[in-house]
Amino acid sequence: MTWAQTLPGLAAMTALMVGPGWGMLRLLGLRGLVALGPAATLTVALSAGWAVVLGALGVRWGLATFLLGMLLGAAACAGLGHVLGTAPWRTAGLVDDAADAAADLTERAGPSAAAPRAGRSVAARRARPPRTPDRSTLLSAPGAVLQPAPLARPHLVLAVVAAAVATGLYVVAMTRGIGVPDRPSQVWDGVFHLSAIQTVREYGDASAFGGLAPLYDYGYAPFYPTGWHSVVAVVPFLPSVPAAVNASIVVVGLLWTLSVAGLVRATWPTLPVAAAAAPVLAHSFLALPVGLITQMGQFPYTYAHVLLPGLLTLVVLAVRNLPDVRATAAPALPAAVAAFGLALVHGSAWFSTLVLTAPLLVATAVGAFRRLRRTDRRLPVAVAVWSAAGLAVLASVPLLADGVVESVQAFERPGDDGYDWILTSLLVDRPLRSFGGYELGGLDSLAQVAISGLAVGGAVLVWWLRRGRWLAVGLVVTVTLTAVSWGPADHPLRWATGVWYSETMRLDALVVICAAPLAAAALAVLVRDGVALASGVLAARRGRGAGGSRGAGDKGDGREAAGAAGVRRRRTEVVVAGALLVVLVVGSGGLRHTLRTYHAVESFVPGHLTYRMLAGEGELDLFRRADELLPEDAVVLGDRFRGTPYWYSMGGVDVVYPHLAGPRGPDGQFLLARFDEIGENPEVCTVVERLGVTHFWTNTRDTGPAPWHQMAPLGDPTLFTFRPGDGFELVATGGHGELWEITACD
């Protein structure tokens, strides 16, 4: 299989993830980047919830039922948009020139001290003349949602080019690193999720409440977030499970581009260069999505946090439209759906949402109460109630998940003696897992230090901009949590990192979510002020050279000249920003293209894995030909760390142990310990027949030298070392792998 053959599947996956959510947000009245950025967030979140409903009703999950759910969601959004008065057909023809009305509805306090008194309606306030002709500010109309205006053409061109380059470099790195589209991840978590996708396809249940029950032997249906699985499992044109999973690795690069650009556009509408530059700066970081989705194999966690900026975009818009109930509800309601839905993609996303939105919601409520004496009491009270309600829901819902939070926090992870290494690693965005030969230094490290400097500078800058301060607070909090997760295990704040399994790389993803937008804002301000300063100096020199002044009759010409100067200034900003981005991309070696490629190579390519190799190319070919080698009722037994789960995820053949976490039932435990007694102990054949086991799989790979020696202690001693003899017939071999038919129990 080639990547060219996956193009229809890649296009279908992109359309299924982005299209439905974008359509729903458009029906609610959102436009442009702030509708495109959160589109996949809403799609995946709604899919996760719809899968739970269908699972409870006993309706099979598939492409048709997925599309039905999206159609129902679109119908609901159309109805809401009509009732709220924010739908496009309710505001058509009313949208005027952009007006930066956010000064009256800041993130700090809802209505500002300078806001009009209650005697003026919200519609009247929004219809007032714009303070600036710059169409990069906020677009509004009576009854419409206050949101950024469309990007001017120069900024739009820069945004499209930057997005294409950044996303393209990511796609090339991932496809080169993975190599073969249907080559499976050999990372612990990746093996599980491959089997999970096969389970959803086989049983037609993508509910988080029991959809993956066939993977376990608990005796009941366990909870496991399946929002990512629900979409990937139904994408057409990708019949191979590994190909579908790898396609999601490619597509997530585009989703990351859109979600960050949307967040930046919503947060700083007067900085269009920031939204245009955001894709390059976002893709310059390693932790998200590259590190998590390759080295860690945490596909749901990666998707939940790549889509999180989309949720934050909707929250920013909701706060900006306070206290107008209708205009606030248009982004707030999909934000609520997204919050619950992302928790069904990965539970940690709920806590990530709480950490990042709490500063924004608290500041909004506190600022509103401070204005009680200076404006109509109803407005700030409404702002405070909306904000407090959102924060209360985010904080209280985890308490309903009895035992889940405690079990996650109880996960033990060793710590380090100090914080120097992790703080340095965050500064240069060093891989948090070992790469042979990777050391600091060179232009690529210097380029990343410059980006980190922009992020830190942006965190300071937003206090002057009076917009986006919550991201600066988020950066400080997430860096602190990341350092604590790395540091001594007895740190008094270590418990706070437990909901992310105290995993440094998971928390580093939150740092990136804050750092990338802040760096984009800083770059935009540097470009804007630098161009303005240079233009002022040049204008002053030309004025001195002219030696005269304009008369009163030249006022009209002066205004035209000022307008033309503004157009030239914006074009100059775009050119300067584009040049800086080119320097950044080239200086960093194509956004550290080689290093990002190595991330994928280490997790996918046999013979290059530094550890955890489960199967070689010859064995993978056998798994792909399972339907030729095995009957439909075959059940394969074998050690998990010899690659046995791939018979299920790649070949669709039932296995006793479908993932690396191990068996749960007594029969599975018995075979782990006693299978080598087959032919001698009749109870072994009794269990084999009860489970329907027909074949045994193993490989003869040396477990002594690296990289395979690390697998030996992970394997179960009996199955890992067992060599078939009498009572077994060899069916096929491939690489070091051997497939045997069990005849000892005939």
Side-chain angles (χ1 to χ4, degrees), residues 72-210:
L72 292 175
C77 289
L80 281 171
H82 186 79
V83 171
L84 297 173
T86 60
W89 56 85
R90 295 292 302 272
T91 58
L94 298 176
V95 177
D96 206 343
D97 284 338
D100 190 6
D104 296 330
L105 294 168
T106 68
E107 65 190 44
R108 298 173 60 247
S112 71
R117 299 295 175 180
R120 295 184 64 188
S121 66
V122 173
R125 294 204 311 272
R126 295 177 182 220
R128 67 172 182 253
R131 296 181 178 179
T132 170
D134 191 346
R135 288 187 56 82
S136 66
T137 53
L138 294 181
L139 185 65
S140 63
V145 178
L146 191 67
Q147 59 189 299
L151 288 171
R153 182 174 297 176
H155 298 117
L156 180 60
V157 171
L158 177 61
V160 171
V161 172
V165 170
T167 307
L169 287 172
Y170 168 86
V171 170
V172 171
M174 292 299 100
T175 53
R176 284 188 61 203
I178 296 171
V180 182
D182 61 348
R183 177 180 283 157
S185 168
Q186 302 210 25
V187 178
W188 187 302
D189 294 72
V191 173
F192 172 86
H193 295 301
L194 286 164
S195 294
I197 294 293
Q198 175 62 23
T199 298
V200 172
R201 289 183 171 186
E202 180 179 356
Y203 293 92
D205 189 352
S207 172
F209 298 92

Side-chain angles (χ1 to χ4, degrees), residues 331-431:
L333 291 175
V337 172
F340 282 99
L342 289 187
L344 294 178
V345 177
H346 198 286
S348 295
W350 187 272
F351 300 96
S352 301
T353 302
L354 176 61
V355 166
L356 295 181
T357 58
L360 174 60
L361 296 177
V362 169
T364 301
V366 171
F369 278 119
R370 286 179 177 175
R371 286 168 170 76
L372 281 174
R373 296 182 179 179
R374 291 184 289 180
T375 187
D376 189 330
R377 290 175 179 270
R378 291 175 297 174
L379 300 185
V381 167
V383 172
V385 169
W386 273 95
S387 304
L391 187 61
V393 170
L394 284 172
S396 62
V397 166
L399 301 178
L400 303 177
D402 184 32
V404 175
V405 176
E406 292 81 357
S407 64
V408 174
Q409 285 187 316
F411 189 87
E412 294 185 5
R413 195 177 297 276
D416 192 76
D417 293 336
Y419 303 98
D420 293 345
W421 191 91
I422 184 60
L423 293 176
T424 302
S425 296
L426 291 177
L427 179 64
V428 299
D429 194 39
R430 177 185 5 215

Side-chain angles (χ1 to χ4, degrees), residues 235-520:
V235 175
F237 313 120
L238 294 170
S240 164
V241 169
V245 171
N246 293 342
S248 76
I249 294 177
V250 173
V251 170
V252 81
L254 174 62
L255 304 185
W256 177 234
T257 295
L258 296 177
S259 63
V260 174
L263 174 59
V264 172
R265 185 68 181 139
T267 306
W268 299 287
T270 57
L271 296 176
V273 169
V280 172
L281 295 170
H283 278 284
S284 69
F285 291 92
L286 289 172
L288 188 69
V290 174
L292 282 171
I293 211 164
T294 56
Q295 285 189 304
M296 304 292 286
Q298 294 171 355
F299 308 125
Y301 187 95
T302 302
Y303 259 76
H305 287 79
V306 160
L307 299 177
L308 182 54
L311 166 59
L312 300 177
T313 301
L314 296 173
V315 173
V316 169
L317 291 177
V319 169
R320 184 157 285 150
N321 280 275
L322 288 168
D324 186 333
V325 174
R326 294 184 303 167
T328 299
L333 291 175
V337 172
F340 282 99
L342 289 187
L344 294 178
V345 177
H346 198 286
S348 295
W350 187 272
F351 300 96
S352 301
T353 302
L354 176 61
V355 166
L356 295 181
T357 58
L360 174 60
L361 296 177
V362 169
T364 301
V366 171
F369 278 119
R370 286 179 177 175
R371 286 168 170 76
L372 281 174
R373 296 182 179 179
R374 291 184 289 180
T375 187
D376 189 330
R377 290 175 179 270
R378 291 175 297 174
L379 300 185
V381 167
V383 172
V385 169
W386 273 95
S387 304
L391 187 61
V393 170
L394 284 172
S396 62
V397 166
L399 301 178
L400 303 177
D402 184 32
V404 175
V405 176
E406 292 81 357
S407 64
V408 174
Q409 285 187 316
F411 189 87
E412 294 185 5
R413 195 177 297 276
D416 192 76
D417 293 336
Y419 303 98
D420 293 345
W421 191 91
I422 184 60
L423 293 176
T424 302
S425 296
L426 291 177
L427 179 64
V428 299
D429 194 39
R430 177 185 5 215
L432 298 185
R433 289 207 169 184
S434 176
F435 276 96
Y438 177 77
E439 297 180 358
L440 301 180
L443 284 177
D444 54 350
S445 292
L446 291 176
Q448 197 58 42
V449 170
I451 294 173
S452 297
L454 283 174
V456 174
V460 176
L461 179 68
V462 294
W463 293 93
W464 171 69
L465 292 176
R466 301 174 67 85
R467 222 176 261 157
R469 293 178 177 180
W470 59 279
L471 279 169
V473 175
L475 182 65
V476 173
V477 172
T478 55
V479 167
T480 301
L481 289 173
T482 303
V484 168
S485 70
W486 175 269
D490 59 352
H491 193 284
L493 292 179
R494 185 68 174 239
W495 65 270
T497 68
V499 293
W500 295 276
Y501 295 87
S502 296
E503 172 65 58
T504 303
M505 204 163 184
R506 297 183 194 234
L507 283 160
D508 192 12
L510 300 185
V511 176
V512 175
I513 291 174
C514 297
L518 290 170

Side-chain angles (χ1 to χ4, degrees), residues 527-745:
V527 170
R528 183 194 65 185
D529 293 353
V531 169
L533 179 62
S535 300
V537 171
L538 291 175
R541 290 180 178 178
R542 285 196 296 268
R544 288 195 299 268
S549 61
R550 295 182 181 273
D554 296 329
K555 289 183 178 180
D557 294 339
R559 284 193 294 269
E560 291 180 5
V567 172
R568 288 195 300 271
R569 175 179 53 81
R570 286 192 291 273
R571 290 177 178 174
T572 304
E573 289 178 2
V574 168
V575 171
V576 172
L580 290 176
L581 293 178
V582 169
V583 170
L584 173 62
V585 171
V586 174
S588 62
L591 301 179
R592 293 185 287 179
H593 177 80
T594 300
L595 184 57
R596 291 200 289 178
T597 302
Y598 282 168
H599 273 79
V601 168
E602 187 195 49
S603 302
F604 284 86
V605 182
H608 292 78
L609 301 168
T610 56
Y611 57 95
R612 298 176 301 194
M613 182 171 173
L614 302 177
E617 292 290 4
E619 294 138 71
L620 295 177
D621 288 338
L622 282 185
F623 302 144
R624 296 187 184 102
R625 297 191 295 115
D627 58 342
E628 304 173 10
L629 302 173
L630 294 166
E632 291 184 2
D633 61 347
V635 177
V636 177
L637 172 71
D639 185 79
R640 299 161 290 162
F641 293 93
R642 294 286 192 186
T644 307
Y646 291 137
W647 282 108
Y648 181 60
S649 59
M650 297 183 67
V653 178
D654 288 338
V655 297
V656 179
Y657 313 126
H659 52 87
L660 304 183
R664 307 298 180 187
D667 286 345
Q669 295 284 11
F670 178 84
L671 291 181
L672 280 182
R674 310 289 289 277
F675 184 73
D676 59 346
E677 299 175 10
I678 190 169
E680 301 174 1
N681 183 348
E683 190 175 356
V684 175
C685 281
T686 299
V687 174
V688 165
E689 292 172 355
R690 186 158 56 231
L691 294 178
V693 177
T694 59
H695 291 75
F696 181 80
W697 167 259
T698 188
N699 61 54
T700 59
R701 184 173 294 109
D702 185 6
T703 59
W708 306 287
H709 72 289
Q710 297 192 35
M711 304 311 304
L714 296 176
D716 305 293
T718 298
L719 287 182
F720 192 82
T721 59
F722 180 77
R723 296 289 302 135
D726 294 338
F728 294 83
E729 291 185 4
L730 186 63
V731 175
T733 61
H736 292 275
E738 298 176 346
L739 178 64
W740 299 78
E741 182 180 0
I742 300 175
T743 60
C745 299

